[in-house]
Amino acid sequence: MQYTFTRCQSILEKAGWVDNYQAKEVNLSSEEKIILKEIYKFPEIIEQSAKNFSPNLICNFIFHLAQRYNNFYEKHSIISAQSQELIIFRLALTAAVAQVLKTSLSLLGVSVPKKM
């Protein structure tokens, strides 16, 4: 999970990402849809984890999110995507994954390195 976070940060840094994404319509791959669905579950996972005193729920969630992101990263170009809109969307998706991983690891008391 730390590796996936640093990968996300590296991609965003290389692209000069500034977090001011304006939504545009793009055709999403199945991998992108899966990641978005996972991110959508994040607040519910945090709530369940707190109610049940089960930090393992967060661990399982970010493990699967990292796997899904890594699968997406292997199959799809981010910075060299076919259109500017798709590049911007994929950078925003990468930033969202990084933020969820960072927040989750912080809740678990795990630091996130800047580089690996």
Side-chain angles (χ1 to χ4, degrees), residues 96-109:
V97 168
Q99 184 60 53
V100 168
L101 290 172
K102 181 179 180 180
T103 300
S104 298
L105 289 169
S106 176
L107 288 170
L108 295 168

Side-chain angles (χ1 to χ4, degrees), residues 7 31 34-35 66-76:
R7 172 182 274 176
E31 292 84 10
I34 289 169
I35 293 169
Q67 281 184 320
R68 285 170 172 83
Y69 181 82
N70 290 331
N71 182 46
F72 157 76
Y73 182 79
E74 287 178 23
K75 291 183 178 182
H76 302 282

Side-chain angles (χ1 to χ4, degrees), residues 44-84:
E44 181 183 328
I45 296 297
I46 298 303
E47 186 177 333
Q48 287 177 354
S49 177
K51 281 183 181 177
N52 299 320
F53 301 104
S54 300
N56 64 303
L57 296 176
I58 298 172
C59 296
N60 293 338
F61 172 77
I62 60 173
F63 177 76
H64 289 107
L65 178 62
Q67 281 184 320
R68 285 170 172 83
Y69 181 82
N70 290 331
N71 182 46
F72 157 76
Y73 182 79
E74 287 178 23
K75 291 183 178 182
H76 302 282
S77 175
I78 296 173
I79 298 175
S80 301
Q82 304 102 312
S83 69
Q84 188 64 28

Side-chain angles (χ1 to χ4, degrees), residues 34-42 61 64-65 68:
I34 289 169
I35 293 169
L36 287 172
K37 287 177 185 177
E38 286 297 309
I39 291 171
Y40 185 75
K41 296 176 190 175
F42 182 57
F61 172 77
H64 289 107
L65 178 62
R68 285 170 172 83

